[in-house]
Amino acid sequence: MSESLNQASHLQGSEGFHTPSARVYISYDPANPPSHPGANWTRFVCISDTHSHTFSVPSGDVLLHSGDLSRLGREDEIRVTIEWLRSLDHGVKIIIAGNHDLPLHEEWYEDSYYAFHDKKESSTAIKNLVDSDANRDRGLIYLQDEQYTFSTKEGGREWSVYGSPWQPYFGGWAFNYLPEEAYDRVSAIPEVDILLTHGPPHNILDKTFTNVNAGCPALLAHLSKMRGPPLLHVFGHIHEARGAVRHSWLQAEEDQCFSDSECSPALGTRETIMVNAANLPLGRQAIRPGPGGQRIPCGGLGFQPVIVDLLDSATRLEM
């Protein structure tokens, strides 16, 4: 049986951390973000839980948005976000929904809209806003339980990504699942380079301000069984747990053998860069220390986009 350990290399100083194949920046000067490491690297800029707010986002090769595009999924709210995302200069922009993007969970919204909206919005119109040929022509890709592959440069590496908007039951919002539904929901996630989920895995950047680990145990278990877990897993949902860690997956020796007659080489230590990219401040961190106690704006200090640079030659079997 495989064992997963959360080796929390959180912040080295106040900036982030580096590995031989990844450079992660959690805190930096927005006016002077770290420079792109070069042609053999791909820069991923990670955001989440923007809730129809707009703010400055560092340039990069790929933008990843892990859901809660809006406050309550109304068409005008979604439109603000999509127009903002279209305006950003990243060549590829991958987005998913979250529990606040209500009409994008069409079946749930049909039965439950009245608990959140005075009148029903058009799920079809809103889906067309986030997922259209015009968006795709601008590199803006919406994924809902889907896999996608892309390259950021001619002849460059092809990256695989999967996007899932789901999370454990959390107040009866959209894209929730009950504990007994968790395995069926997460088992559809394939082995890819980059994983976007709205909710976190259990015990990884998932602690609420009420001291509850709200992440999904089934998601953590599913990822731990993968021979090649993702290089990068981006999520949000639990705003107050925003940050990034290196998560090491330790493969038990007996799991190396796939048959009695064949045994694979030792995989070594496999790692996933885990990023809670929530941008809307929540909890104690939402208030600046000192006199006045001013509130930090969405995407402000401590809730900036997280920058992850990955070496193009990085493999999922051993980071």
Side-chain angles (χ1 to χ4, degrees):
M1 179 180 297
S2 63
E3 178 185 8
S4 63
L5 297 177
N6 186 17
Q7 296 188 342
S9 300
H10 281 264
L11 300 179
Q12 295 177 0
S14 61
E15 295 296 321
F17 54 86
H18 291 179
T19 76
S21 55
R23 301 177 180 180
V24 180
Y25 301 94
I26 305 168
S27 166
Y28 50 88
D29 178 1
N32 187 30
S35 58
H36 193 294
N40 296 326
W41 295 75
T42 298
R43 170 156 291 185
F44 297 87
V45 181
C46 308
I47 62 176
S48 187
D49 299 85
T50 55
H51 294 282
S52 299
H53 294 272
T54 64
F55 47 88
S56 178
V57 177
S59 294
D61 302 302
V62 183
L63 182 78
L64 303 173
H65 192 310
S66 280
D68 279 1
L69 304 165
S70 63
R71 295 179 179 89
L72 288 172
R74 296 185 185 278
E75 185 173 351
D76 60 337
E77 296 172 353
I78 294 285
R79 188 179 300 278
V80 166
T81 299
I82 295 301
E83 289 179 354
W84 171 56
L85 293 174
R86 282 177 176 174
S87 75
L88 300 177
D89 62 3
H90 310 77
V92 179
K93 292 168 274 200
I94 312 290
I95 66 174
I96 64 172
N99 59 298
H100 278 252
D101 303 316
L102 309 178
L104 292 173
H105 188 177
E106 297 176 45
E107 300 85 354
W108 173 90
Y109 185 69
E110 186 71 24
D111 294 334
S112 305
Y113 76 91
Y114 58 85
F116 299 89
H117 290 173
D118 294 334
K119 66 175 185 178
K120 187 188 293 184
E121 300 263 337
S122 168
S123 290
T124 300
I126 291 168
K127 183 68 178 291
N128 289 339
L129 267 178
V130 301
D131 190 9
S132 68
D133 290 340
N135 285 353
R136 288 182 176 249
D137 288 343
R138 298 188 188 192
L140 179 57
I141 310 298
Y142 174 73
L143 299 179
Q144 187 168 313
D145 300 315
E146 296 172 83
Q147 184 171 337
Y148 180 73
T149 57
F150 63 91
S151 294
T152 62
K153 58 198 79 153
E154 187 174 353
R157 174 177 178 157
E158 186 173 77
W159 299 90
S160 58
V161 58
Y162 186 86
S164 170
W166 299 89
Q167 74 281 164
Y169 185 89
F170 197 85
W173 292 70
F175 298 111
N176 280 191
Y177 51 79
L178 297 171
E180 59 269 24
E181 301 168 324
Y183 174 77
D184 288 341
R185 183 60 63 187
V186 303
S187 63
I189 296 172
E191 295 191 6
V192 288
D193 299 318
I194 304 148
L195 176 61
L196 300 184
T197 61
H198 184 56
H202 183 66
N203 206 34
I204 300 178
L205 300 171
D206 70 335
K207 186 166 286 188
T208 69
F209 58 77
T210 57
N211 213 35
V212 172
N213 291 102
C216 180
L219 177 58
L220 181 66
H222 178 62
L223 296 177
S224 75
K225 294 174 184 175
M226 288 182 173
R227 186 171 184 268
L231 293 169
L232 174 62
H233 181 186
V234 185
F235 46 87
H237 189 45
I238 309 302
H239 299 212
E240 58 269 45
R242 180 259 183 195
V245 297
R246 294 166 62 185
H247 184 89
S248 294
W249 309 94
L250 301 184
Q251 182 76 37
E253 184 175 346
E254 59 267 27
D255 279 352
Q256 307 301 320
C257 296
F258 299 101
S259 70
D260 291 338
S261 59
E262 182 179 0
C263 191
S264 73
L267 296 181
T269 300
R270 299 160 303 143
E271 289 190 342
T272 297
I273 303 298
M274 298 282 191
V275 176
N276 181 329
N279 294 117
L280 185 64
L282 190 66
R284 294 178 183 175
Q285 305 99 311
I287 306 300
R288 286 193 177 97
Q294 291 183 320
R295 186 172 184 85
I296 296 171
C298 190
L301 190 63
F303 287 85
Q304 301 160 266
V306 175
I307 297 172
V308 180
D309 296 329
L310 292 181
L311 193 63
D312 289 349
S313 60
T315 69
R316 285 185 284 111
L317 295 184
E318 188 168 358
M319 274 279 279

